[in-house]
Each structure stands twice: as structure tokens, then as C-alpha cells.
């Protein structure tokens, strides 16, 4: 184990971060009372925070709720039940994915709270203290933003101590805390770390959270507040105003964000530090400060290809997705199979032959295969070698190793353009010329024509909403995946009924396919009880307020 990792684990233990549950009873007598005595210790507290953040982001388990969107599904069998239960709106008590989400997010909150409560006494400059506080408040806000969207009303804790009697906060209080934290970040964080060393700035990109990253995240929060369940539509105006400010400063060169010229570059490892990433997270076994591998490169590959088969495309969403360049970099346009992975004697090939399937429905998984987290190698001899990784190429063998140093794209500039366009139209009732230009920039990059002129505000806003769904399709690590747009706009009940009916979709002339993950007969739509997840059994057993 790396020396820095040993230090981080020791610090995590000392700060009470090692346990997962919100209401756990901490063991031991170590306290942080003598910590925060130098710049190095302040830095180490931030690294300990980021270690918790990457622990949340590094694998599929805790992203199970995102599969409730109409863009993604999973394998109904194998070891995917944690995901399939969420996808089928039938989560059972003890679902490891939902437990992991809760536990890991509250671990981030604990780490952040320690910095907020103690960083101010470090004998360093106010600038340095504000940078540390900004990282803490940002990730605390993001953690609560996840929790409130997936569990509904939750306990708020701004302390490092634990309690088994924390009450549930209402939505305005929870969102008020999120907004307060992000506004503090906006007021105190710098716009660039270019004059500083790693890990704050690497390869031409800000790694630490900046003012503009917090602004862009707050846009997403305001939009959620404007929709379900708060339905305070006035926040669309706040979202549009703030998004416009960031976009204007990007256009003037004050902020660094760009829109990549080709969609194939968006998720490519050759553009790992692209400034289309507004909020990103470094994942690397070489990143000693908070070392963690990105473990989802095999998530999209079918299991019979040697992958994990975690995430498939839903058939109807794939069918309705407009044919364009973007679609060919989200869904694998062809599937390359080695003969040894096929059923013996299938198609008359031997073990070393390579077979291309030009459509997913010609394979035995019968689901669209995502490729946005997939990478390629030049030879099958290298398919487990990190040093041989190349950008995804459907004509080359897949990289099947579990880990890479891929940087997670939590928020992208394309999303901010779409958020502005949608919010502006919902506020003013008529889309502006600038709103049209924002959404059309994204569409042109995707290979789609401009939206038709003359749309009214509702038509235009709904088109932007759909565009965002296409833009983040299948990327369950996005801050706002398709599922959350659907909740915000109260589209989930109709989708639930559609999935329950499970009508076959024609994927080729005369070939009709149904989804394999089924909503059980006894499961009915129950409003918030269907939208929000149950609290983890461990915490609800300790805290009667979580019953």
C-alpha cells in the first residue's frame, strides 16, 4: 500500500470516517483536536474527503436508482439483482446498492463536516482556508443533492458526531442547505488553480472545484427545485440567470469550458482532461493523493463478451433515439466477438476467428450495448493491459480490464447549455435567439439539424429536456441522469405504466423484442413511495424517525 494511502486511512479513522452508517456508534478515542496545525494537514484533510468521494463514484452498486430512467436497464439474472430491483421499481429491504449509496454519501458528509468545523483554525492564509472549505461544502452539497433526490426527506447533519434521533428535514430545508453551501463556494472559491501544483491542477484542467463549477452545479439544483417535488417554478429564473452568467464568461474567455467539436471526444480517454468537463473527478491508481481506479470500463460489455453486463440500453429509448453521430458513440454500432466466446460451432467459426455483429439483436443478449465507458486495444493479447488502452473503436478488440484512470464526467458544458435553454424558455414563455443557439450548438455537434424555428416556450423547453436525455443517455454517473429529469417533470408514472405493459418494440422488420427486466404483477404505482427509496435497514433500525 502506498505511504500516502496509509496516511489517508489513518486520518480517516481519526476523523471518524471509516464507518458507513449515519447513526453508527463510533469506536475508539482518537479525535481531530490536534489536527489542522499546518498546510500539510489541511491538505490531507481535503485528500481524505476526496478519498470518500471517489469511493462513492468508483463502481456501479450505488448507482442502482439511476436505472429507473427510461434510457437504461440491466440483466434480470446473473448478479445484477441490486440494479434490476431498482429498474423494476421493486426494491427489497437490504438492497446493497441502495445501502451503499446512503452509507457512502453520509461518509462524504462526515468528512466535509470535519473540514468545515475545523479548517478555520489552521495557521495558513484565508485563501487556503477558503479553498479547503469550498471543497468540503461543494461535496457536502452534492451528497445531499443525491440523497434528497433518491430518498426524499432525509436527516441533515452538520456535525461529526452521530445520533440515533435525527429527524427528517423537509424539502425546503434540505435544498436550502444545498443552496447555502454552493453559494458559499461561489463567493469564496477561485476561478483557476493554474498557478498551483497537483492535485489542484493537472494537464490543463482544474481538478479542485472552482467558482464556476459551483455555479454550474447550482443551476442543476435550481432546476430540480423548480420541478417535482418542490414545484417552485420561480427557480427556473434563477437557473437561467446563473447559467447565462457562466456561458457568457466562457464565451469571453474568462472561464475555461468548451464544447468538444466531435462527440466521440466527449468520453474518450485521449480527452481525459477536456475542458468540456465542468465537474470532474480523477480516478487513477497513480494519483497518490486519493488513489482509486475507475472500475466501470467493463460495465457495458455483454457478459458473454467477458464484460459485466451491468448497463444495457432500453429498447424503446434506443429505437426513438435519432440516427446521428452521437448515437454511434453512445451505443456500440457493431459488436466484435471472438470465436471462443460464441457457442461451440456457431456460425461455423473457430476459437480464433473474429465475428462482427452489425446489430445488437443478432447477439444473444438482445439489448442495445452502450460503449461510452468502453475502450479498445490493438490486439487480444493486450485486452487486460492498461498501457494498451485506446479510444473505443468498434473494429478493434475490447479492453476488458477492470480498471483505468478515466476521469468521471459529473457535469459537462453541453449540459449547462441545455439547462440554460430549457430554463429560459420555461421562464419567459418564448425561447430567445440565444437559447436556440445554445441547444443548436449541442445538436450540431451530435450530427442533428437545428430545432425548427417558431416553437413556443413549452415545445422548446420539452425539446431541450429530451436533448439532455439523449446527451447523457446511459451515463449513470452524470449528476443529473435521465431519471432525475423524468422525476422533475413528473414523467415517471407514465413510464412506469409503459414498462409494466412491456409492449414489444420492432427493432428490425418483423423482429419484435420486449424488455427482460419486468415489473412484477403485484407492484403498483404509489407516488412518492415508488419514486423514493426505502431507508437502509441498519439506519432505520437505529433511528425510529427513519421508519
Amino acid at each position: 500500500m502506498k505511504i500516502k494511502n496509509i496516511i489517508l486511512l489513518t486520518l480517516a479513522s481519526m476523523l471518524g470516517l471509516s464507518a458507513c452508517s449515519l447513526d453508527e456508534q463510533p469506536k475508539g478515542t482518537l479525535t481531530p483536536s490536534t489536527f489542522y496545525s499546518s498546510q500539510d494537514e489541511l491538505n490531507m484533510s481535503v485528500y481524505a474527503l476526496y478519498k470518500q468521494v471517489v469511493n462513492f463514484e468508483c463502481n456501479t452498486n450505488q448507482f442502482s436508482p439511476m436505472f429507473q430512467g427510461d434510457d437504461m436497464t440491466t440483466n434480470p439474472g446473473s448478479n445484477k439483482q441490486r440494479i434490476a430491483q431498482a429498474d423494476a421499481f421493486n426494491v427489497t429491504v437490504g438492497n446493497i446498492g441502495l445501502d451503499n449509496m446512503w452509507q457512502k454519501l453520509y461518509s462524504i458528509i462526515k468528512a466535509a463536516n470535519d473540514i468545515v468545523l475545523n479548517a478555520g483554525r489552521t495557521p495558513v492564509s484565508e485563501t487556503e482556508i477558503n479553498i479547503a472549505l469550498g471543497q468540503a461544502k461543494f461535496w457536502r452539497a452534492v451528497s445531499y443533492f443525491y440523497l434528497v433526490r433518491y430518498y426524499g426527506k432525509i436527516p441533515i447533519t452538520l456535525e461529526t458526531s452521530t445520533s440515533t434521533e435525527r429527524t427528517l428535514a423537509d424539502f425546503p430545508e434540505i435544498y436550502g442547505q444545498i443552496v447555502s453551501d454552493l453559494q458559499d463556494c461561489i463567493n469564496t472559491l477561485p476561478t483557476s488553480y493554474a498557478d498551483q501544483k497537483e492535485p489542484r491542477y493537472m494537464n490543463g484542467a482544474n481538478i479542485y472545484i472552482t467558482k464556476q463549477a459551483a455555479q454550474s452545479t447550482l443551476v442543476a439544483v435550481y432546476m430540480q427545485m423548480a420541478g417535482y417535488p418542490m414545484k417552485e417554478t420561480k427557480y427556473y429564473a434563477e437557473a437561467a440567470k446563473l447559467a447565462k452568467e457562466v456561458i457568457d464568461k466562457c464565451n469571453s474567455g474568462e472561464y475555461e469550458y468548451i464544447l468538444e467539436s466531435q462527440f466521440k471526444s466527449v468520453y474518450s480517454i485521449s480527452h481525459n482532461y477536456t475542458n468540456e468537463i465542468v465537474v470532474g473527478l480523477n480516478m487513477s491508481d497513480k494519483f497518490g493523493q486519493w488513489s482509486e481506479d475507475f472500475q466501470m470500463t467493463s460495465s457495458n460489455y455483454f457478459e458473454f463478451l467477458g464484460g459485466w453486463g451491468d448497463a444495457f440500453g432500453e429498447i424503446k429509448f434506443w429505437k426513438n433515439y435519432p440516427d446521428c453521430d452521437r448515437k454511434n458513440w453512445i451505443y456500440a454500432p457493431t459488436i466484435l466477438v471472438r470465436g471462443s466466446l460464441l457457442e461451440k460451432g456457431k456460425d461455423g467459426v473457430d476459437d480464433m476467428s473474429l465475428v462482427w455483429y452489425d446489430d445488437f439483436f443478432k447477439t444473444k443478449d438482445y439489448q442495445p450495448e452502450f460503449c461510452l465507458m468502453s475502450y479498445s486495444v490493438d490486439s487480444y493479447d493486450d485486452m487486460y493491459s492498461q498501457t494498451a488502452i485506446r479510444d473505443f473503436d468498434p473494429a478493434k478488440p475490447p479492453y476488458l480490464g477492470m480498471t483505468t484512470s478515466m476521469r468521471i464526467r459529473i457535469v459537462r458544458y453541453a449540459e449547462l447549455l441545455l439547462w440554460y435553454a430549457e430554463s429560459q424558455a420555461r421562464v419567459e414563455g418564448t425561447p430567445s435567439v440565444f437559447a436556440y443557439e445554445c441547444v443548436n450548438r449541442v445538436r450540431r455537434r451530435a450530427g442533428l439539424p437545428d430545432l425548427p424555428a417558431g416553437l413556443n416556450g413549452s415545445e422548446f423547453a420539452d425539446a431541450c429536456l429530451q436533448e439532455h436525455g439523449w446527451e447523457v443517455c446511459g451515463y449513470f454517473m452524470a449528476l443529473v441522469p435521465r431519471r432525475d429529469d423524468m422525476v422533475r417533470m413528473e414523467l415517471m408514472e407514465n413510464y412506469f405504466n409503459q414498462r409494466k405493459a412491456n409492449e414489444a418494440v420492432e427493432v428490425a422488420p418483423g423482429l419484435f423484442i420486449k424488455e427482460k427486466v419486468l415489473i412484477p404483477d403485484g407492484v403498483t404505482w404509489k407516488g412518492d413511495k415508488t419514486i423514493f427509496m426505502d431507508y437502509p435497514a441498519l439506519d432505520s433500525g437505529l433511528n425510529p424517525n427513519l421508519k
Side-chain angles (χ1 to χ4, degrees):
M1 181 181 292
K2 298 181 181 74
I3 295 297
K4 286 186 178 179
N5 283 348
I6 295 174
I7 296 172
L8 282 177
L9 289 173
T10 302
L11 177 61
S13 176
M14 185 176 74
L15 299 183
L17 306 177
S18 57
C20 296
S21 172
L22 170 65
D23 292 322
E24 71 190 340
Q25 298 303 309
K27 308 298 182 183
T29 58
L30 290 175
T31 70
S33 60
T34 60
F35 206 70
Y36 297 97
S37 64
S38 67
Q39 182 67 60
D40 283 346
E41 291 183 353
L42 183 62
N43 289 343
M44 199 61 68
S45 70
V46 176
Y47 300 160
L49 165 68
Y50 271 96
K51 185 69 174 178
Q52 298 297 325
V53 176
V54 298
N55 188 45
F56 170 72
E57 296 278 357
C58 73
N59 57 59
T60 314
N61 269 351
Q62 49 272 16
F63 291 100
S64 298
M66 286 66 165
F67 284 72
Q68 289 185 331
D70 62 359
D71 59 331
M72 292 187 297
T73 185
T74 189
N75 188 334
S78 187
N79 62 347
K80 307 298 181 286
Q81 287 307 303
R82 66 195 185 280
I83 306 173
Q85 286 181 2
D87 189 35
F89 298 90
N90 188 35
V91 177
T92 59
V93 175
N95 180 291
I96 189 173
L98 275 298
D99 287 359
N100 281 357
M101 172 178 271
W102 176 277
Q103 293 161 3
K104 291 186 177 187
L105 288 171
Y106 273 112
S107 290
I108 295 170
I109 290 167
K110 288 181 184 180
N113 288 347
D114 188 85
I115 295 172
V116 172
L117 293 172
N118 295 293
R121 57 187 174 82
T122 313
V124 295
S125 69
E126 183 179 4
T127 297
E128 286 297 326
I129 290 174
N130 283 339
I131 288 172
L133 290 174
Q135 308 312 299
K137 289 186 177 183
F138 179 84
W139 291 113
R140 181 169 71 181
V142 167
S143 297
Y144 278 125
F145 190 41
Y146 275 119
L147 286 164
V148 72
R149 286 178 294 163
Y150 294 106
Y151 297 94
K153 297 177 181 181
I154 54 169
I156 293 178
T157 175
L158 304 179
E159 304 168 355
T160 56
S161 60
T162 59
S163 169
T164 58
E165 299 179 354
R166 295 195 188 279
T167 58
L168 297 178
D170 288 330
F171 291 115
E173 182 183 358
I174 300 165
Y175 276 102
Q177 179 60 50
I178 295 169
V179 170
S180 176
D181 275 347
L182 290 175
Q183 288 178 334
D184 284 349
C185 294
I186 292 167
N187 292 333
T188 60
L189 283 176
T191 60
S192 177
Y193 300 96
D195 61 343
Q196 301 184 35
K197 298 179 180 179
E198 296 182 8
R200 299 180 182 188
Y201 190 84
M202 293 177 63
N203 302 317
N206 290 306
I207 305 304
Y208 269 24
I209 298 302
T210 60
K211 172 182 178 177
Q212 57 269 31
Q215 288 175 307
S216 303
T217 303
L218 185 52
V219 171
V221 173
Y222 280 146
M223 291 186 72
Q224 195 69 41
M225 295 169 73
Y228 189 85
M230 285 185 61
K231 303 173 75 169
E232 295 282 350
T233 56
K234 64 183 179 182
Y235 286 108
Y236 279 126
E238 297 293 335
K241 178 182 177 181
L242 191 55
K244 180 70 160 51
E245 179 182 340
V246 176
I247 294 168
D248 285 346
K249 290 186 177 182
C250 291
N251 289 339
S252 70
E254 184 175 345
Y255 291 168
E256 76 275 24
Y257 304 140
I258 65 167
L259 192 70
E260 286 282 356
S261 60
Q262 300 181 73
F263 192 85
K264 70 177 183 180
S265 300
V266 167
Y267 295 111
S268 69
I269 201 161
S270 64
H271 288 66
N272 209 20
Y273 290 88
T274 172
N275 277 323
E276 177 158 339
I277 299 174
V278 173
V279 178
L281 189 64
N282 273 48
M283 308 291 284
S284 173
D285 61 345
K286 299 177 182 177
F287 203 62
Q289 285 83 0
W290 56 82
S291 174
E292 183 64 74
D293 293 317
F294 178 72
Q295 299 178 10
M296 288 180 274
T297 52
S298 293
S299 290
N300 295 154
Y301 286 123
F302 295 142
E303 287 179 273
F304 85 93
L305 294 179
W308 297 346
D310 287 344
F312 300 152
E314 282 204 15
I315 299 166
K316 185 175 181 180
F317 196 89
W318 166 85
K319 176 75 172 181
N320 292 336
Y321 200 117
D323 290 332
C324 60
D325 183 66
R326 180 174 58 192
K327 185 174 186 178
N328 289 332
W329 293 103
I330 288 179
Y331 302 99
T334 59
I335 298 170
L336 178 63
V337 184
R338 193 173 186 173
S340 59
L341 297 174
L342 299 172
E343 297 173 13
K344 187 174 182 180
K346 184 176 177 61
D347 297 333
V349 302
D350 59 35
D351 283 355
M352 299 308 293
S353 297
L354 300 180
V355 177
W356 277 266
Y357 288 102
D358 58 0
D359 286 297
F360 71 87
F361 48 80
K362 295 181 181 178
T363 73
K364 61 184 179 182
D365 272 302
Y366 277 80
Q367 296 281 163
E369 184 184 54
F370 291 126
C371 60
L372 38 71
M373 290 186 286
S374 302
Y375 307 100
S376 297
V377 293
D378 293 327
S379 166
Y380 270 106
D381 294 335
D382 294 326
M383 63 183 180
Y384 293 98
S385 171
Q386 286 196 39
T387 59
I389 293 174
R390 305 285 184 269
D391 289 343
F392 176 74
D393 183 338
K396 290 185 177 181
Y399 169 70
L400 293 179
M402 185 174 74
T403 60
T404 71
S405 58
M406 176 49 58
R407 193 167 174 231
I408 295 177
R409 283 82 160 138
I410 298 174
V411 177
R412 291 191 287 108
Y413 187 55
E415 296 180 80
L416 187 68
L417 294 171
L418 296 173
W419 291 338
Y420 166 73
E422 181 189 342
S423 296
Q424 183 276 328
R426 294 200 190 280
V427 170
E428 299 186 22
T430 302
S432 67
V433 172
F434 189 66
Y436 260 104
E437 180 57 28
C438 286
V439 67
N440 285 336
R441 285 182 64 187
V442 177
R443 287 177 62 85
R444 291 168 197 155
R445 196 265 300 273
L448 293 172
D450 290 355
L451 286 179
L455 295 176
N456 64 37
S458 179
E459 292 169 336
F460 182 88
D462 288 346
C464 293
L465 179 78
Q466 182 62 73
E467 196 70 38
H468 184 258
W470 289 330
E471 186 71 18
V472 299
C473 170
Y475 198 72
F476 48 80
M477 292 166 293
L479 180 68
V480 185
R482 173 67 175 165
R483 181 263 188 197
D484 294 296
D485 278 344
M486 295 172 67
V487 171
R488 170 167 64 90
M489 297 307 298
E490 299 185 82
L491 303 175
M492 290 294 281
E493 184 175 4
N494 285 340
Y495 169 64
F496 175 92
N497 293 331
Q498 170 206 306
R499 279 294 300 273
K500 185 124 187 197
N502 198 24
E503 294 181 1
V505 177
E506 188 174 21
V507 299
L511 179 59
F512 293 82
I513 299 178
K514 293 185 176 184
E515 294 294 344
K516 296 196 288 284
V517 175
L518 306 178
I519 298 178
D521 289 339
V523 175
T524 58
W525 179 259
K526 297 180 180 178
D528 282 359
K529 290 184 178 180
T530 301
I531 292 172
F532 299 121
M533 309 297 154
D534 289 337
Y535 305 115
L538 173 61
D539 285 79
S540 60
L542 294 170
N543 185 349
N545 295 310
L546 297 180
K547 296 295 185 183

